[in-house]
Amino acid sequence: MPEQDSPAVVWLRDDLRVSDNPALREAIDSGRPVLPVYVLDDSGGAGRPLGAASRWWLHHSLAALDASLQKRGSRLVLRHGDGAEEVADVMRRTGAGLLTMNRRYVRGEREQDDRARLAAEQAGAAVSDHTASLLHEPGEVLNGSGDRFAVFTPFFRALSGAGTPRDPLPAPAAIDGWTGEVHSVDLADLGLLPTKPDWSGGLADTWTPGEKGAHRRVDEFVQHRLAGYAAHRDEPAAEASSRLSPHLKFGEISPYQLWHRVQGADAPADVRMKFLTELGWRDFDYDLLDTHPDLDTVNVHRNFDAFPWAEVDDEVLAAWQQGRTGIPLVDAGMRQLWATGWMHNRVRMVTASFFIKNLRYDWRLGEQWFWDTLVDADPANNAAQWQWVAGSGADAAPYFRVFNPVLQAQKFDPAGEYIAEWVPELRPLDAKGRHEPWNAAAATDYPAPVVDLKRSRQAALDAYQRMRD
């Protein structure tokens, strides 16, 4: 096959965008016709299979990406199976002379990428990979002794002090797409969407997956909410959050694009840096995943292996999952999660603390539920945040720090607006009643608490002391 007809295959993964996509840009610049490929690999061999909410998002993100590629003269080839094997098959059948990809960081993903690289090189093709989803490669940001940081604040100081992140790449106006025949499965055949019952209506009402949706959300955040982000980000009713986490997780926008967009915004420097710190946490969590590849199942601090977790009561577990614990802020968060696939960050900490320290259930059970129900479920961030709350992770909150959900609601949702939005049984009550309905005179259909907050807190502290002893 003549070289000019030999395509450059772009293996897309968590980078479902055409702008600031180094792998796509290299394929275009190679002068070869471009063939973008996405492989759904849900075998578990290359990282955790996506949860149900993330699968819903992926379906719509792939549809949006294919439309964007076709508008520019290309198309998206879809495959289902082992990523390395499917990509090798595409390259063999098309006679591809170049494989480009953006790096991944889960251990199984890296091993799969190595297999794809070896197969391509053995077939005589060139291979390249790029940094695209993080501001740095794990292990690049080191302290003065040449070691990795164990605490976030000095890590971010070093990361942000290392220079301005590179400028994002523009979207290509046109792509010379490869037009030969190659097998591609239909998007519907990937089985990403829920069947009966279809529980995704709330997700569809809340989100617009895809690159356009990501940039619309960035514009809205920067123009209308960034100025109040630092002051109101902990208030779940304030809508101060960017809600960009799922767009970042699927790579519909890059951290480079977001960094420069926020840095160029008309907002005080301390406000802009407060938001950019959250991008730093993403990088920090991936550094942690790089050194602890079993982050979702193994305690970073192994002394927590001896922690005396309580035996799980299935009815209590279901009450937590469904937002029926009788603790208003916890229930509001869990219902928001089920309806929208997302939960406010402050409330995530409160619901996780309640699960780990008041119910004293193993953090891994809660992490698994969030993995299945969050549209932004991320292999580094989700596990690191649960371990942070548990006290078993890096830079973790101490175990004896127990979030009191009533006090948290009184401080961050003083009028009970967030509670009223997601727990309609409590709307008729005043703020005090919404925070502590067990003390309200008016009768409601709201359940009694599944656990006494004061006694369960003390039981958690006693269990922590037994672990230390």
Side-chain angles (χ1 to χ4, degrees):
M1 181 177 295
E3 182 171 313
Q4 62 267 27
D5 296 326
S6 173
V9 169
V10 186
W11 186 9
L12 297 169
R13 294 83 74 87
D14 292 332
D15 49 358
L16 305 182
R17 61 184 184 271
V18 297
S19 61
D20 195 33
N21 192 318
L24 177 62
R25 170 54 58 187
E26 181 179 5
I28 294 171
D29 291 346
S30 73
R32 297 173 180 271
V34 177
L35 182 60
V37 177
Y38 182 89
V39 182
L40 176 65
D41 186 346
D42 48 13
S43 66
R48 299 170 72 177
L50 294 177
S54 293
R55 289 172 67 88
W56 174 90
W57 188 288
L58 176 61
H59 174 96
H60 295 287
S61 187
L62 290 172
L65 177 61
D66 186 43
S68 182
L69 289 169
Q70 292 201 36
K71 180 180 178 181
R72 290 167 170 80
S74 185
R75 56 175 165 154
L76 181 62
V77 169
L78 296 175
R79 291 290 189 97
H80 192 183
D82 178 274
E85 294 176 4
E86 293 297 324
V87 167
D89 181 73
V90 169
M91 296 194 68
R92 181 173 60 254
R93 293 179 183 275
T94 61
L98 173 64
L99 171 63
T100 67
M101 50 191 170
N102 296 314
R103 296 186 189 115
R104 301 185 289 178
Y105 302 99
V106 174
R107 178 174 54 186
E109 294 173 343
R110 285 182 161 181
E111 292 171 352
Q112 188 177 81
D113 290 354
D114 289 342
R115 288 194 288 116
R117 173 185 293 276
L118 179 61
E121 290 176 342
Q122 288 178 339
V127 183
S128 67
D129 56 21
H130 306 267
T131 302
S133 63
L134 297 176
L135 297 172
H136 84 299
E137 284 295 302
E140 282 185 352
V141 178
L142 303 173
N143 62 23
S145 301
D147 299 320
R148 299 198 191 208
F149 289 96
V151 177
F152 171 72
T153 300
F155 168 86
F156 184 66
R157 189 181 302 118
L159 175 65
S160 56
T164 303
R166 66 162 175 80
D167 290 334
L169 301 167
I175 301 173
D176 177 18
W178 192 74
T179 57
E181 291 294 327
V182 63
H183 173 66
S184 177
V185 302
D186 291 335
L187 178 58
D189 292 338
L190 294 180
L192 295 169
L193 295 178
T195 52
K196 297 181 180 180
D198 184 355
W199 41 261
S200 64
L203 276 63
D205 292 340
T206 306
W207 303 102
T208 304
E211 190 170 6
K212 284 186 179 180
H215 284 275
R216 281 197 297 267
R217 191 170 288 276
V218 171
D219 291 341
E220 192 274 336
F221 173 67
V222 169
Q223 294 169 16
H224 302 293
R225 287 183 283 143
L226 176 60
Y229 176 79
H232 302 291
R233 64 186 295 268
D234 282 322
E235 302 168 15
E239 293 295 335
S241 300
S242 72
R243 299 201 182 196
L244 285 164
S245 51
H247 297 291
L248 278 166
K249 184 263 177 290
F250 286 94
E252 297 165 350
I253 190 168
S254 78
Y256 300 92
Q257 291 173 307
L258 192 50
W259 183 284
H260 285 280
R261 185 75 169 86
V262 169
Q263 278 289 54
D266 183 17
D270 60 330
V271 173
R272 286 182 275 123
M273 188 53 64
K274 186 66 175 177
F275 178 79
L276 296 177
T277 299
E278 298 305 311
L279 286 181
W281 270 108
R282 252 181 110 248
D283 273 43
F284 181 73
D285 288 344
Y286 271 92
D287 244 41
L288 184 62
L289 180 66
D290 189 53
T291 54
H292 297 83
D294 297 319
L295 189 62
D296 62 319
T297 57
V298 177
N299 294 307
V300 172
H301 295 300
R302 298 305 300 271
N303 57 310
F304 271 81
D305 292 352
F307 188 83
W309 300 109
E311 183 177 350
V312 174
D313 182 318
D314 289 340
E315 291 186 3
V316 173
L317 177 61
W320 177 80
Q321 292 171 336
Q322 297 167 14
R324 297 184 293 102
T325 67
I327 307 298
L329 186 59
V330 172
D331 291 347
M334 297 306 293
R335 295 186 194 187
Q336 181 185 31
L337 172 62
W338 182 253
T340 69
W342 185 87
M343 189 194 303
H344 185 275
N345 187 61
R346 168 63 55 172
V347 187
R348 292 191 197 201
M349 291 190 288
V350 173
T351 56
S353 176
F354 180 81
F355 184 90
I356 294 167
K357 296 172 182 179
N358 294 104
L359 300 181
R360 224 170 77 242
Y361 289 168
D362 192 326
W363 64 265
R364 282 160 280 233
L365 292 175
E367 193 274 345
Q368 289 165 13
W369 182 254
F370 273 33
W371 180 262
D372 193 45
T373 53
L374 282 169
V375 291
D376 63 8
D378 179 279
N381 302 154
N382 195 51
Q385 288 167 6
W386 273 88
Q387 291 222 45
W388 182 88
V389 175
S392 61
D395 200 15
Y399 187 85
F400 51 80
R401 182 185 182 187
V402 181
F403 287 94
N404 183 307
V406 176
L407 297 180
Q408 289 283 308
Q410 291 170 343
K411 181 176 182 180
F412 297 111
D413 188 30
E417 297 173 74
Y418 176 76
I419 290 171
E421 179 180 2
W422 294 106
V423 188
E425 308 97 293
L426 301 181
R427 286 176 190 165
L429 303 181
D430 60 12
K432 183 174 177 59
R434 291 171 180 176
H435 295 144
E436 300 177 275
W438 45 86
N439 291 329
T444 71
D445 295 330
Y446 191 62
V450 296
V451 67
D452 181 275
L453 293 177
K454 184 176 181 180
R455 286 199 294 267
S456 60
R457 177 183 183 276
Q458 187 58 53
L461 297 179
D462 292 344
Y464 177 66
Q465 188 61 48
R466 290 199 302 274
M467 181 196 78
R468 294 186 65 192
D469 293 341

